[in-house]
Amino acid sequence: MIITIASFKGGVGKTTTAIHLCQYFATRKPKKKVVLADGDPNRTAIDWAESSQFDLPFTVQDAAETLPIYNTLIVDTPARTNPEELIQLIETSTLVIIPTKVDIFDVRATLALADTLRPNPNKYRILLTGLPRGKKLYEAARSLFTEQGLQSFDGGIRQLAVYRDAAYEGIPVSRYSEAGKDAMTDYEKIGSQILKGWKNG
Ligand SMILES: Nc1ncnc2c1ncn2[C@@H]1O[C@H](COP(=O)(O)OP(=O)(O)O)[C@@H](O)[C@H]1O
Ligand SMILES: [Mg+2]
């Protein structure tokens, strides 16, 4: 299975999503080889892994280098995928995940891609990130996507300080603290939707 994380804006949680979905799959299926391929020239995921104080259960490497044999490959991309690149990613991936903050500008940036996404309903999911307390913005964003015929994951990722704190130490949040374990349940719910929907991918 190849999962690509792409977005039309930076700072929406792509790299954080790549790391935590790798952590989820590697923990859930310890015998399977999980690889995070860093396609961002900023090498954010590689630098994160190199700074890690923790023995990661998955491999992080440069997407431009030869990949090891894998069961699950998660590809992190730089900001600002354009529509042509998105079509390519949809072709080469089992699933493209599009993290989008609940902020209205970010939601509109994703809505602008509706024509590219709509014909491929099983090849992508929008993932709402940076969720504040309360469901109001989450529900508003989801209904905008649904009105446009766009597919989004059920649930999303809360805005929580533990992501930044854990990133400093190169640790997935689930290994960082009790608050981190609670934060991780958001990614676990997304991971289990992926296992149900794309397990044969
Ligand atoms: N759910 C979240 N809650 C709080 N901070 C987050 C969350 N997800 C990511 N961050 C922080 O936001 C910043 C940008 O996230 P990152 O994953 O690097 O985004 P991108 O790869 O899209 O640029 C990082 O400092 C990261 O630790
Ligand atoms: Mg990134």
Side-chain angles (χ1 to χ4, degrees):
M1 174 159 71
I2 302 176
I3 300 173
T4 304
I5 319 286
S7 75
F8 319 107
K9 283 197 145 194
V12 293
K14 278 186 301 300
T15 303
T16 304
T17 296
I19 288 168
H20 290 89
L21 286 179
C22 280
Q23 175 70 17
Y24 171 78
F25 289 120
T27 312
R28 190 65 212 280
K29 307 218 160 178
K31 292 202 179 118
K32 307 266 178 169
K33 173 87 174 157
V34 178
V35 175
L36 195 172
D38 189 348
D40 186 342
N42 289 329
R43 297 169 57 91
T44 315
I46 295 171
D47 288 346
W48 172 83
E50 282 174 359
S51 77
S52 188
Q53 326 241 331
F54 171 70
D55 195 13
L56 296 169
F58 54 90
T59 304
V60 181
Q61 74 156 74
D62 192 330
E65 282 169 18
T66 311
L67 296 173
I69 291 172
Y70 60 80
N71 299 101
T72 303
L73 176 68
I74 299 195
V75 185
D76 188 20
T77 66
R80 286 189 203 87
T81 300
N82 64 42
E84 294 73 39
E85 285 165 338
L86 182 61
I87 289 168
Q88 278 265 238
L89 295 177
I90 283 177
E91 270 173 27
T92 54
S93 311
T94 317
L95 174 66
V96 177
I97 297 180
I98 305 168
T100 302
K101 284 202 169 177
V102 279
D103 302 71
I104 189 63
F105 296 149
D106 293 60
V107 168
R108 285 188 189 134
T110 300
L111 284 173
L113 274 289
D115 289 339
T116 310
L117 294 171
R118 230 183 264 116
N120 301 290
N122 297 320
K123 300 278 324 226
Y124 77 90
R125 283 292 176 274
I126 296 162
L127 172 63
L128 284 168
T129 61
L131 300 182
R133 280 168 186 270
K135 291 223 142 192
K136 205 171 140 206
L137 286 184
Y138 164 77
E139 280 167 2
R142 267 203 102 183
S143 62
L144 280 173
F145 291 133
T146 308
E147 275 166 27
Q148 293 300 315
L150 294 181
Q151 311 288 326
S152 50
F153 282 112
D154 202 10
I157 311 303
R158 287 167 289 169
Q159 178 81 29
L160 294 170
V162 70
Y163 285 101
R164 283 170 204 271
D165 297 344
Y168 261 96
E169 299 189 24
I171 303 176
V173 286
S174 52
R175 293 302 190 100
Y176 184 73
S177 62
E178 285 304 313
K181 276 188 195 143
D182 175 57
M184 187 72 193
T185 62
D186 291 351
Y187 278 109
E188 287 163 0
K189 286 175 194 154
I190 302 305
S192 81
Q193 289 172 64
I194 297 170
L195 287 180
K196 280 196 196 109
W198 289 271
K199 62 171 176 270
N200 299 319

